[in-house]
PDB file of all heavy atoms in Angstrom:
ATOM      1  N   ALA U   1      15.303  10.315 -16.258  1.00 87.00           N
ATOM      2  CA  ALA U   1      14.374  10.052 -15.086  1.00 87.00           C
ATOM      3  C   ALA U   1      13.854   8.647 -15.289  1.00 87.00           C
ATOM      4  O   ALA U   1      13.835   7.866 -14.318  1.00 87.00           O
ATOM      5  CB  ALA U   1      13.268  11.067 -14.972  1.00 87.00           C
ATOM      6  N   ALA U   2      13.559   8.267 -16.548  1.00 85.00           N
ATOM      7  CA  ALA U   2      12.990   6.971 -16.655  1.00 85.00           C
ATOM      8  C   ALA U   2      13.957   5.812 -16.412  1.00 85.00           C
ATOM      9  O   ALA U   2      13.690   4.793 -15.870  1.00 85.00           O
ATOM     10  CB  ALA U   2      12.548   6.870 -18.249  1.00 85.00           C
ATOM     11  N   SER U   3      15.255   6.098 -16.737  1.00 86.00           N
ATOM     12  CA  SER U   3      16.397   5.085 -16.475  1.00 86.00           C
ATOM     13  C   SER U   3      16.512   4.991 -14.972  1.00 86.00           C
ATOM     14  O   SER U   3      16.778   3.875 -14.470  1.00 86.00           O
ATOM     15  CB  SER U   3      17.661   5.578 -17.087  1.00 86.00           C
ATOM     16  OG  SER U   3      17.598   5.685 -18.524  1.00 86.00           O
ATOM     17  N   ARG U   4      16.439   6.057 -14.303  1.00 89.00           N
ATOM     18  CA  ARG U   4      16.502   5.983 -12.786  1.00 89.00           C
ATOM     19  C   ARG U   4      15.422   5.299 -12.202  1.00 89.00           C
ATOM     20  O   ARG U   4      15.575   4.321 -11.280  1.00 89.00           O
ATOM     21  CB  ARG U   4      16.636   7.330 -12.215  1.00 89.00           C
ATOM     22  CG  ARG U   4      16.520   7.455 -10.784  1.00 89.00           C
ATOM     23  CD  ARG U   4      15.172   7.671 -10.125  1.00 89.00           C
ATOM     24  NE  ARG U   4      15.081   7.779  -8.768  1.00 89.00           N
ATOM     25  CZ  ARG U   4      13.936   7.599  -8.033  1.00 89.00           C
ATOM     26  NH1 ARG U   4      12.869   7.337  -8.808  1.00 89.00           N
ATOM     27  NH2 ARG U   4      14.052   7.527  -6.839  1.00 89.00           N
ATOM     28  N   ASP U   5      14.194   5.382 -12.775  1.00 89.00           N
ATOM     29  CA  ASP U   5      12.956   4.752 -12.301  1.00 89.00           C
ATOM     30  C   ASP U   5      13.131   3.211 -12.506  1.00 89.00           C
ATOM     31  O   ASP U   5      12.690   2.430 -11.610  1.00 89.00           O
ATOM     32  CB  ASP U   5      11.740   5.226 -13.006  1.00 89.00           C
ATOM     33  CG  ASP U   5      11.436   6.703 -12.560  1.00 89.00           C
ATOM     34  OD1 ASP U   5      11.986   7.262 -11.514  1.00 89.00           O
ATOM     35  OD2 ASP U   5      10.554   7.364 -13.195  1.00 89.00           O
ATOM     36  N   ASN U   6      13.701   2.830 -13.618  1.00 87.00           N
ATOM     37  CA  ASN U   6      13.923   1.410 -13.925  1.00 87.00           C
ATOM     38  C   ASN U   6      14.800   0.757 -12.764  1.00 87.00           C
ATOM     39  O   ASN U   6      14.517  -0.292 -12.262  1.00 87.00           O
ATOM     40  CB  ASN U   6      14.530   1.212 -15.151  1.00 87.00           C
ATOM     41  CG  ASN U   6      13.714   1.479 -16.349  1.00 87.00           C
ATOM     42  OD1 ASN U   6      12.451   1.571 -16.278  1.00 87.00           O
ATOM     43  ND2 ASN U   6      14.338   1.717 -17.546  1.00 87.00           N
ATOM     44  N   ILE U   7      15.823   1.393 -12.374  1.00 89.00           N
ATOM     45  CA  ILE U   7      16.776   0.923 -11.337  1.00 89.00           C
ATOM     46  C   ILE U   7      16.075   0.839 -10.024  1.00 89.00           C
ATOM     47  O   ILE U   7      16.313  -0.115  -9.263  1.00 89.00           O
ATOM     48  CB  ILE U   7      18.030   1.828 -11.331  1.00 89.00           C
ATOM     49  CG1 ILE U   7      18.692   1.644 -12.659  1.00 89.00           C
ATOM     50  CG2 ILE U   7      18.843   1.288 -10.151  1.00 89.00           C
ATOM     51  CD1 ILE U   7      19.903   2.733 -12.784  1.00 89.00           C
ATOM     52  N   VAL U   8      15.174   1.754  -9.654  1.00 91.00           N
ATOM     53  CA  VAL U   8      14.670   1.854  -8.318  1.00 91.00           C
ATOM     54  C   VAL U   8      13.302   0.939  -8.258  1.00 91.00           C
ATOM     55  O   VAL U   8      13.122   0.119  -7.186  1.00 91.00           O
ATOM     56  CB  VAL U   8      14.239   3.433  -7.971  1.00 91.00           C
ATOM     57  CG1 VAL U   8      13.461   3.391  -6.664  1.00 91.00           C
ATOM     58  CG2 VAL U   8      15.528   4.134  -7.850  1.00 91.00           C
ATOM     59  N   ILE U   9      12.474   1.047  -9.090  1.00 91.00           N
ATOM     60  CA  ILE U   9      11.191   0.366  -9.020  1.00 91.00           C
ATOM     61  C   ILE U   9      11.145  -1.012  -9.346  1.00 91.00           C
ATOM     62  O   ILE U   9      10.432  -1.811  -8.551  1.00 91.00           O
ATOM     63  CB  ILE U   9      10.190   1.134  -9.935  1.00 91.00           C
ATOM     64  CG1 ILE U   9       9.996   2.558  -9.454  1.00 91.00           C
ATOM     65  CG2 ILE U   9       8.726   0.553  -9.956  1.00 91.00           C
ATOM     66  CD1 ILE U   9       9.209   3.523 -10.461  1.00 91.00           C
ATOM     67  N   ILE U  10      11.891  -1.530 -10.275  1.00 90.00           N
ATOM     68  CA  ILE U  10      11.835  -2.879 -10.630  1.00 90.00           C
ATOM     69  C   ILE U  10      12.328  -3.891  -9.399  1.00 90.00           C
ATOM     70  O   ILE U  10      11.562  -4.753  -9.037  1.00 90.00           O
ATOM     71  CB  ILE U  10      12.795  -3.224 -11.711  1.00 90.00           C
ATOM     72  CG1 ILE U  10      12.022  -2.658 -13.093  1.00 90.00           C
ATOM     73  CG2 ILE U  10      13.007  -4.748 -12.036  1.00 90.00           C
ATOM     74  CD1 ILE U  10      12.793  -2.808 -14.373  1.00 90.00           C
ATOM     75  N   PRO U  11      13.368  -3.513  -8.691  1.00 91.00           N
ATOM     76  CA  PRO U  11      13.699  -4.396  -7.469  1.00 91.00           C
ATOM     77  C   PRO U  11      12.652  -4.192  -6.416  1.00 91.00           C
ATOM     78  O   PRO U  11      12.345  -5.143  -5.678  1.00 91.00           O
ATOM     79  CB  PRO U  11      15.036  -3.739  -7.058  1.00 91.00           C
ATOM     80  CG  PRO U  11      15.615  -3.126  -8.202  1.00 91.00           C
ATOM     81  CD  PRO U  11      14.410  -2.490  -8.984  1.00 91.00           C
ATOM     82  N   ALA U  12      12.067  -3.011  -6.251  1.00 91.00           N
ATOM     83  CA  ALA U  12      11.006  -2.806  -5.179  1.00 91.00           C
ATOM     84  C   ALA U  12       9.850  -3.683  -5.487  1.00 91.00           C
ATOM     85  O   ALA U  12       9.322  -4.305  -4.585  1.00 91.00           O
ATOM     86  CB  ALA U  12      10.527  -1.324  -5.138  1.00 91.00           C
ATOM     87  N   ILE U  13       9.370  -3.854  -6.735  1.00 90.00           N
ATOM     88  CA  ILE U  13       8.313  -4.711  -7.109  1.00 90.00           C
ATOM     89  C   ILE U  13       8.535  -6.059  -6.864  1.00 90.00           C
ATOM     90  O   ILE U  13       7.769  -6.861  -6.308  1.00 90.00           O
ATOM     91  CB  ILE U  13       7.776  -4.360  -8.492  1.00 90.00           C
ATOM     92  CG1 ILE U  13       7.213  -3.015  -8.645  1.00 90.00           C
ATOM     93  CG2 ILE U  13       6.762  -5.461  -8.922  1.00 90.00           C
ATOM     94  CD1 ILE U  13       6.776  -2.614 -10.064  1.00 90.00           C
ATOM     95  N   LEU U  14       9.840  -6.524  -7.204  1.00 90.00           N
ATOM     96  CA  LEU U  14      10.224  -7.951  -6.915  1.00 90.00           C
ATOM     97  C   LEU U  14      10.165  -8.299  -5.415  1.00 90.00           C
ATOM     98  O   LEU U  14       9.708  -9.394  -5.092  1.00 90.00           O
ATOM     99  CB  LEU U  14      11.501  -8.206  -7.616  1.00 90.00           C
ATOM    100  CG  LEU U  14      11.628  -8.431  -9.126  1.00 90.00           C
ATOM    101  CD1 LEU U  14      13.160  -8.656  -9.486  1.00 90.00           C
ATOM    102  CD2 LEU U  14      10.849  -9.688  -9.376  1.00 90.00           C
ATOM    103  N   ILE U  15      10.639  -7.430  -4.633  1.00 91.00           N
ATOM    104  CA  ILE U  15      10.707  -7.655  -3.222  1.00 91.00           C
ATOM    105  C   ILE U  15       9.254  -7.674  -2.741  1.00 91.00           C
ATOM    106  O   ILE U  15       8.982  -8.604  -1.881  1.00 91.00           O
ATOM    107  CB  ILE U  15      11.525  -6.554  -2.480  1.00 91.00           C
ATOM    108  CG1 ILE U  15      13.005  -6.715  -2.858  1.00 91.00           C
ATOM    109  CG2 ILE U  15      11.319  -6.646  -0.959  1.00 91.00           C
ATOM    110  CD1 ILE U  15      13.758  -5.414  -2.453  1.00 91.00           C
ATOM    111  N   LEU U  16       8.523  -6.746  -3.161  1.00 89.00           N
ATOM    112  CA  LEU U  16       7.017  -6.767  -2.751  1.00 89.00           C
ATOM    113  C   LEU U  16       6.287  -8.095  -3.080  1.00 89.00           C
ATOM    114  O   LEU U  16       5.626  -8.604  -2.314  1.00 89.00           O
ATOM    115  CB  LEU U  16       6.350  -5.610  -3.361  1.00 89.00           C
ATOM    116  CG  LEU U  16       4.867  -5.467  -3.098  1.00 89.00           C
ATOM    117  CD1 LEU U  16       4.513  -5.241  -1.721  1.00 89.00           C
ATOM    118  CD2 LEU U  16       4.242  -4.467  -4.012  1.00 89.00           C
ATOM    119  N   VAL U  17       6.516  -8.518  -4.338  1.00 87.00           N
ATOM    120  CA  VAL U  17       5.890  -9.807  -4.786  1.00 87.00           C
ATOM    121  C   VAL U  17       6.361 -10.925  -3.957  1.00 87.00           C
ATOM    122  O   VAL U  17       5.522 -11.744  -3.547  1.00 87.00           O
ATOM    123  CB  VAL U  17       6.184  -9.980  -6.322  1.00 87.00           C
ATOM    124  CG1 VAL U  17       5.801 -11.402  -6.714  1.00 87.00           C
ATOM    125  CG2 VAL U  17       5.445  -9.056  -7.153  1.00 87.00           C
ATOM    126  N   PHE U  18       7.613 -10.991  -3.605  1.00 90.00           N
ATOM    127  CA  PHE U  18       8.193 -12.036  -2.968  1.00 90.00           C
ATOM    128  C   PHE U  18       7.431 -12.147  -1.559  1.00 90.00           C
ATOM    129  O   PHE U  18       7.048 -13.099  -1.008  1.00 90.00           O
ATOM    130  CB  PHE U  18       9.619 -11.971  -2.758  1.00 90.00           C
ATOM    131  CG  PHE U  18      10.263 -13.000  -1.887  1.00 90.00           C
ATOM    132  CD1 PHE U  18      10.446 -14.358  -2.116  1.00 90.00           C
ATOM    133  CD2 PHE U  18      10.738 -12.582  -0.571  1.00 90.00           C
ATOM    134  CE1 PHE U  18      10.901 -15.141  -1.292  1.00 90.00           C
ATOM    135  CE2 PHE U  18      11.319 -13.468   0.305  1.00 90.00           C
ATOM    136  CZ  PHE U  18      11.364 -14.868  -0.052  1.00 90.00           C
ATOM    137  N   LEU U  19       7.418 -10.936  -0.883  1.00 90.00           N
ATOM    138  CA  LEU U  19       6.879 -10.843   0.469  1.00 90.00           C
ATOM    139  C   LEU U  19       5.359 -11.292   0.488  1.00 90.00           C
ATOM    140  O   LEU U  19       4.944 -11.938   1.414  1.00 90.00           O
ATOM    141  CB  LEU U  19       7.025  -9.502   1.128  1.00 90.00           C
ATOM    142  CG  LEU U  19       8.416  -9.101   1.329  1.00 90.00           C
ATOM    143  CD1 LEU U  19       8.509  -7.629   1.782  1.00 90.00           C
ATOM    144  CD2 LEU U  19       9.082  -9.923   2.345  1.00 90.00           C
ATOM    145  N   ILE U  20       4.599 -10.873  -0.460  1.00 88.00           N
ATOM    146  CA  ILE U  20       3.188 -11.267  -0.622  1.00 88.00           C
ATOM    147  C   ILE U  20       3.036 -12.812  -0.764  1.00 88.00           C
ATOM    148  O   ILE U  20       2.173 -13.376  -0.088  1.00 88.00           O
ATOM    149  CB  ILE U  20       2.437 -10.531  -1.765  1.00 88.00           C
ATOM    150  CG1 ILE U  20       2.424  -9.001  -1.373  1.00 88.00           C
ATOM    151  CG2 ILE U  20       1.117 -11.112  -1.992  1.00 88.00           C
ATOM    152  CD1 ILE U  20       1.782  -8.091  -2.556  1.00 88.00           C
ATOM    153  N   LEU U  21       3.883 -13.332  -1.584  1.00 88.00           N
ATOM    154  CA  LEU U  21       3.848 -14.708  -1.755  1.00 88.00           C
ATOM    155  C   LEU U  21       4.191 -15.498  -0.436  1.00 88.00           C
ATOM    156  O   LEU U  21       3.666 -16.652  -0.150  1.00 88.00           O
ATOM    157  CB  LEU U  21       4.744 -15.250  -2.796  1.00 88.00           C
ATOM    158  CG  LEU U  21       4.253 -14.916  -4.309  1.00 88.00           C
ATOM    159  CD1 LEU U  21       5.334 -15.175  -5.325  1.00 88.00           C
ATOM    160  CD2 LEU U  21       2.965 -15.553  -4.613  1.00 88.00           C
ATOM    161  N   VAL U  22       5.182 -14.943   0.351  1.00 90.00           N
ATOM    162  CA  VAL U  22       5.595 -15.581   1.493  1.00 90.00           C
ATOM    163  C   VAL U  22       4.437 -15.548   2.565  1.00 90.00           C
ATOM    164  O   VAL U  22       4.118 -16.644   3.167  1.00 90.00           O
ATOM    165  CB  VAL U  22       6.844 -14.837   2.113  1.00 90.00           C
ATOM    166  CG1 VAL U  22       6.978 -15.310   3.562  1.00 90.00           C
ATOM    167  CG2 VAL U  22       7.996 -15.089   1.334  1.00 90.00           C
ATOM    168  N   MET U  23       3.743 -14.452   2.621  1.00 88.00           N
ATOM    169  CA  MET U  23       2.647 -14.322   3.624  1.00 88.00           C
ATOM    170  C   MET U  23       1.409 -15.214   3.094  1.00 88.00           C
ATOM    171  O   MET U  23       0.696 -15.924   3.948  1.00 88.00           O
ATOM    172  CB  MET U  23       2.085 -12.885   3.605  1.00 88.00           C
ATOM    173  CG  MET U  23       3.127 -12.025   4.362  1.00 88.00           C
ATOM    174  SD  MET U  23       2.363 -10.390   4.677  1.00 88.00           S
ATOM    175  CE  MET U  23       2.448  -9.686   2.936  1.00 88.00           C
ATOM    176  N   LEU U  24       1.188 -15.351   1.835  1.00 86.00           N
ATOM    177  CA  LEU U  24      -0.002 -16.106   1.309  1.00 86.00           C
ATOM    178  C   LEU U  24       0.355 -17.606   1.355  1.00 86.00           C
ATOM    179  O   LEU U  24      -0.628 -18.395   1.809  1.00 86.00           O
ATOM    180  CB  LEU U  24      -0.187 -15.758  -0.226  1.00 86.00           C
ATOM    181  CG  LEU U  24      -1.379 -16.267  -0.907  1.00 86.00           C
ATOM    182  CD1 LEU U  24      -2.726 -15.828  -0.318  1.00 86.00           C
ATOM    183  CD2 LEU U  24      -1.339 -16.153  -2.363  1.00 86.00           C
ATOM    184  N   LEU U  25       1.560 -18.161   1.023  1.00 87.00           N
ATOM    185  CA  LEU U  25       1.874 -19.498   1.011  1.00 87.00           C
ATOM    186  C   LEU U  25       2.538 -20.009   2.276  1.00 87.00           C
ATOM    187  O   LEU U  25       2.637 -21.249   2.489  1.00 87.00           O
ATOM    188  CB  LEU U  25       2.736 -19.819  -0.227  1.00 87.00           C
ATOM    189  CG  LEU U  25       2.164 -19.468  -1.596  1.00 87.00           C
ATOM    190  CD1 LEU U  25       3.235 -19.724  -2.619  1.00 87.00           C
ATOM    191  CD2 LEU U  25       0.936 -20.251  -1.855  1.00 87.00           C
ATOM    192  N   ARG U  26       2.882 -19.100   3.166  1.00 88.00           N
ATOM    193  CA  ARG U  26       3.545 -19.484   4.392  1.00 88.00           C
ATOM    194  C   ARG U  26       4.639 -20.402   4.227  1.00 88.00           C
ATOM    195  O   ARG U  26       4.892 -21.374   4.904  1.00 88.00           O
ATOM    196  CB  ARG U  26       2.473 -20.117   5.364  1.00 88.00           C
ATOM    197  CG  ARG U  26       1.257 -19.063   5.667  1.00 88.00           C
ATOM    198  CD  ARG U  26       0.137 -19.886   6.359  1.00 88.00           C
ATOM    199  NE  ARG U  26      -1.179 -19.155   6.025  1.00 88.00           N
ATOM    200  CZ  ARG U  26      -2.282 -19.754   6.396  1.00 88.00           C
ATOM    201  NH1 ARG U  26      -2.397 -20.880   6.953  1.00 88.00           N
ATOM    202  NH2 ARG U  26      -3.453 -19.017   6.141  1.00 88.00           N
ATOM    203  N   ALA U  27       5.552 -20.036   3.313  1.00 90.00           N
ATOM    204  CA  ALA U  27       6.832 -20.772   2.940  1.00 90.00           C
ATOM    205  C   ALA U  27       7.786 -19.763   2.423  1.00 90.00           C
ATOM    206  O   ALA U  27       7.559 -18.582   2.202  1.00 90.00           O
ATOM    207  CB  ALA U  27       6.440 -21.820   1.868  1.00 90.00           C
ATOM    208  N   LEU U  28       8.982 -20.302   2.217  1.00 92.00           N
ATOM    209  CA  LEU U  28      10.081 -19.472   1.707  1.00 92.00           C
ATOM    210  C   LEU U  28      10.575 -19.991   0.235  1.00 92.00           C
ATOM    211  O   LEU U  28      10.761 -19.204  -0.657  1.00 92.00           O
ATOM    212  CB  LEU U  28      11.350 -19.414   2.575  1.00 92.00           C
ATOM    213  CG  LEU U  28      11.180 -18.506   3.877  1.00 92.00           C
ATOM    214  CD1 LEU U  28      12.386 -18.659   4.688  1.00 92.00           C
ATOM    215  CD2 LEU U  28      10.871 -17.055   3.441  1.00 92.00           C
ATOM    216  N   LEU U  29      10.694 -21.280   0.172  1.00 93.00           N
ATOM    217  CA  LEU U  29      11.251 -21.801  -1.112  1.00 93.00           C
ATOM    218  C   LEU U  29      10.186 -21.585  -2.283  1.00 93.00           C
ATOM    219  O   LEU U  29      10.660 -21.189  -3.305  1.00 93.00           O
ATOM    220  CB  LEU U  29      11.446 -23.382  -0.925  1.00 93.00           C
ATOM    221  CG  LEU U  29      12.004 -24.005  -2.232  1.00 93.00           C
ATOM    222  CD1 LEU U  29      13.392 -23.399  -2.569  1.00 93.00           C
ATOM    223  CD2 LEU U  29      12.344 -25.480  -1.867  1.00 93.00           C
ATOM    224  N   ALA U  30       8.917 -21.892  -2.052  1.00 92.00           N
ATOM    225  CA  ALA U  30       7.989 -21.719  -3.127  1.00 92.00           C
ATOM    226  C   ALA U  30       7.925 -20.219  -3.575  1.00 92.00           C
ATOM    227  O   ALA U  30       8.022 -19.969  -4.778  1.00 92.00           O
ATOM    228  CB  ALA U  30       6.517 -22.173  -2.623  1.00 92.00           C
ATOM    229  N   PRO U  31       7.832 -19.230  -2.698  1.00 92.00           N
ATOM    230  CA  PRO U  31       7.941 -17.819  -3.252  1.00 92.00           C
ATOM    231  C   PRO U  31       9.160 -17.538  -4.028  1.00 92.00           C
ATOM    232  O   PRO U  31       9.114 -16.816  -4.938  1.00 92.00           O
ATOM    233  CB  PRO U  31       7.739 -16.999  -1.922  1.00 92.00           C
ATOM    234  CG  PRO U  31       7.085 -17.895  -1.002  1.00 92.00           C
ATOM    235  CD  PRO U  31       7.492 -19.292  -1.376  1.00 92.00           C
ATOM    236  N   LEU U  32      10.376 -18.042  -3.562  1.00 93.00           N
ATOM    237  CA  LEU U  32      11.561 -17.784  -4.256  1.00 93.00           C
ATOM    238  C   LEU U  32      11.498 -18.353  -5.642  1.00 93.00           C
ATOM    239  O   LEU U  32      11.832 -17.675  -6.652  1.00 93.00           O
ATOM    240  CB  LEU U  32      12.652 -18.409  -3.527  1.00 93.00           C
ATOM    241  CG  LEU U  32      13.357 -17.660  -2.373  1.00 93.00           C
ATOM    242  CD1 LEU U  32      14.435 -18.442  -1.608  1.00 93.00           C
ATOM    243  CD2 LEU U  32      14.051 -16.305  -2.862  1.00 93.00           C
ATOM    244  N   ILE U  33      11.044 -19.586  -5.753  1.00 93.00           N
ATOM    245  CA  ILE U  33      10.944 -20.255  -7.082  1.00 93.00           C
ATOM    246  C   ILE U  33       9.930 -19.477  -8.039  1.00 93.00           C
ATOM    247  O   ILE U  33      10.084 -19.179  -9.169  1.00 93.00           O
ATOM    248  CB  ILE U  33      10.446 -21.721  -6.960  1.00 93.00           C
ATOM    249  CG1 ILE U  33      11.652 -22.478  -6.230  1.00 93.00           C
ATOM    250  CG2 ILE U  33      10.125 -22.411  -8.263  1.00 93.00           C
ATOM    251  CD1 ILE U  33      11.347 -23.940  -5.929  1.00 93.00           C
ATOM    252  N   LEU U  34       8.780 -19.117  -7.371  1.00 91.00           N
ATOM    253  CA  LEU U  34       7.748 -18.432  -8.194  1.00 91.00           C
ATOM    254  C   LEU U  34       8.220 -17.097  -8.654  1.00 91.00           C
ATOM    255  O   LEU U  34       7.948 -16.716  -9.698  1.00 91.00           O
ATOM    256  CB  LEU U  34       6.472 -18.321  -7.329  1.00 91.00           C
ATOM    257  CG  LEU U  34       5.746 -19.682  -6.957  1.00 91.00           C
ATOM    258  CD1 LEU U  34       4.568 -19.429  -6.085  1.00 91.00           C
ATOM    259  CD2 LEU U  34       5.266 -20.422  -8.252  1.00 91.00           C
ATOM    260  N   THR U  35       8.895 -16.402  -7.769  1.00 90.00           N
ATOM    261  CA  THR U  35       9.399 -15.061  -8.240  1.00 90.00           C
ATOM    262  C   THR U  35      10.398 -15.316  -9.307  1.00 90.00           C
ATOM    263  O   THR U  35      10.494 -14.466 -10.213  1.00 90.00           O
ATOM    264  CB  THR U  35      10.176 -14.393  -6.953  1.00 90.00           C
ATOM    265  OG1 THR U  35       9.027 -14.320  -5.960  1.00 90.00           O
ATOM    266  CG2 THR U  35      10.684 -13.048  -7.414  1.00 90.00           C
ATOM    267  N   ALA U  36      11.250 -16.336  -9.240  1.00 92.00           N
ATOM    268  CA  ALA U  36      12.296 -16.530 -10.305  1.00 92.00           C
ATOM    269  C   ALA U  36      11.571 -16.955 -11.595  1.00 92.00           C
ATOM    270  O   ALA U  36      11.978 -16.395 -12.656  1.00 92.00           O
ATOM    271  CB  ALA U  36      13.130 -17.700  -9.915  1.00 92.00           C
ATOM    272  N   THR U  37      10.458 -17.623 -11.546  1.00 92.00           N
ATOM    273  CA  THR U  37       9.734 -17.926 -12.779  1.00 92.00           C
ATOM    274  C   THR U  37       9.085 -16.719 -13.342  1.00 92.00           C
ATOM    275  O   THR U  37       9.036 -16.543 -14.642  1.00 92.00           O
ATOM    276  CB  THR U  37       8.599 -18.976 -12.526  1.00 92.00           C
ATOM    277  OG1 THR U  37       7.651 -18.491 -11.643  1.00 92.00           O
ATOM    278  CG2 THR U  37       9.235 -20.283 -11.960  1.00 92.00           C
ATOM    279  N   VAL U  38       8.728 -15.740 -12.594  1.00 88.00           N
ATOM    280  CA  VAL U  38       8.064 -14.548 -12.940  1.00 88.00           C
ATOM    281  C   VAL U  38       9.151 -13.767 -13.792  1.00 88.00           C
ATOM    282  O   VAL U  38       8.919 -13.187 -14.870  1.00 88.00           O
ATOM    283  CB  VAL U  38       7.544 -13.668 -11.902  1.00 88.00           C
ATOM    284  CG1 VAL U  38       7.222 -12.222 -12.299  1.00 88.00           C
ATOM    285  CG2 VAL U  38       6.254 -14.257 -11.435  1.00 88.00           C
ATOM    286  N   VAL U  39      10.364 -13.671 -13.186  1.00 90.00           N
ATOM    287  CA  VAL U  39      11.473 -12.899 -13.903  1.00 90.00           C
ATOM    288  C   VAL U  39      11.817 -13.550 -15.202  1.00 90.00           C
ATOM    289  O   VAL U  39      12.111 -12.910 -16.176  1.00 90.00           O
ATOM    290  CB  VAL U  39      12.681 -12.926 -12.863  1.00 90.00           C
ATOM    291  CG1 VAL U  39      13.855 -12.296 -13.680  1.00 90.00           C
ATOM    292  CG2 VAL U  39      12.343 -12.025 -11.710  1.00 90.00           C
ATOM    293  N   LEU U  40      11.934 -14.792 -15.125  1.00 93.00           N
ATOM    294  CA  LEU U  40      12.173 -15.738 -16.409  1.00 93.00           C
ATOM    295  C   LEU U  40      11.149 -15.468 -17.379  1.00 93.00           C
ATOM    296  O   LEU U  40      11.528 -15.336 -18.605  1.00 93.00           O
ATOM    297  CB  LEU U  40      12.327 -17.234 -16.059  1.00 93.00           C
ATOM    298  CG  LEU U  40      12.652 -18.111 -17.180  1.00 93.00           C
ATOM    299  CD1 LEU U  40      14.051 -17.733 -17.729  1.00 93.00           C
ATOM    300  CD2 LEU U  40      12.645 -19.569 -16.801  1.00 93.00           C
ATOM    301  N   SER U  41       9.797 -15.530 -17.091  1.00 92.00           N
ATOM    302  CA  SER U  41       8.819 -15.244 -18.092  1.00 92.00           C
ATOM    303  C   SER U  41       8.951 -13.845 -18.603  1.00 92.00           C
ATOM    304  O   SER U  41       8.762 -13.709 -19.836  1.00 92.00           O
ATOM    305  CB  SER U  41       7.572 -15.412 -17.353  1.00 92.00           C
ATOM    306  OG  SER U  41       6.421 -15.049 -18.185  1.00 92.00           O
ATOM    307  N   PHE U  42       9.243 -12.721 -17.704  1.00 92.00           N
ATOM    308  CA  PHE U  42       9.422 -11.460 -18.213  1.00 92.00           C
ATOM    309  C   PHE U  42      10.571 -11.363 -19.273  1.00 92.00           C
ATOM    310  O   PHE U  42      10.347 -10.709 -20.248  1.00 92.00           O
ATOM    311  CB  PHE U  42       9.655 -10.510 -17.008  1.00 92.00           C
ATOM    312  CG  PHE U  42      10.136  -9.200 -17.459  1.00 92.00           C
ATOM    313  CD1 PHE U  42       9.233  -8.285 -17.924  1.00 92.00           C
ATOM    314  CD2 PHE U  42      11.414  -8.754 -17.166  1.00 92.00           C
ATOM    315  CE1 PHE U  42       9.662  -6.935 -18.322  1.00 92.00           C
ATOM    316  CE2 PHE U  42      11.895  -7.581 -17.581  1.00 92.00           C
ATOM    317  CZ  PHE U  42      10.972  -6.617 -18.150  1.00 92.00           C
ATOM    318  N   GLY U  43      11.665 -11.933 -18.867  1.00 94.00           N
ATOM    319  CA  GLY U  43      12.801 -11.913 -19.806  1.00 94.00           C
ATOM    320  C   GLY U  43      12.561 -12.486 -21.118  1.00 94.00           C
ATOM    321  O   GLY U  43      12.876 -11.926 -22.162  1.00 94.00           O
ATOM    322  N   ALA U  44      11.828 -13.700 -21.108  1.00 95.00           N
ATOM    323  CA  ALA U  44      11.504 -14.398 -22.343  1.00 95.00           C
ATOM    324  C   ALA U  44      10.603 -13.564 -23.243  1.00 95.00           C
ATOM    325  O   ALA U  44      10.736 -13.372 -24.429  1.00 95.00           O
ATOM    326  CB  ALA U  44      10.910 -15.693 -22.042  1.00 95.00           C
TER     327      ALA U  44
END
C-alpha cells in the first residue's frame, strides 16, 4: 500500500505546488523552475 501511495501522491503534490506558484506569481516559467529546484533539493 505504501508503494502505491508513493506513485499516486508524489505527482499530485508536485502538480498542486506548481499550480499554487502559478496563481501566486502569475507566471509559468518561474513556477516551473521553482518546482524543479524543489525536486532537485529533495533528491539531493
Side-chain angles (χ1 to χ4, degrees):
S3 298
R4 176 264 176 199
D5 291 345
N6 291 341
I7 296 172
V8 172
I9 296 174
I10 288 177
I13 292 177
L14 278 178
I15 293 171
L16 174 69
V17 165
F18 173 72
L19 293 175
I20 289 175
L21 287 173
V22 168
M23 290 186 290
L24 186 66
L25 300 178
R26 301 168 205 172
L28 287 177
L29 183 57
L32 275 173
I33 292 174
L34 294 175
T35 303
T37 64
V38 166
V39 174
L40 181 62
S41 175
F42 167 74

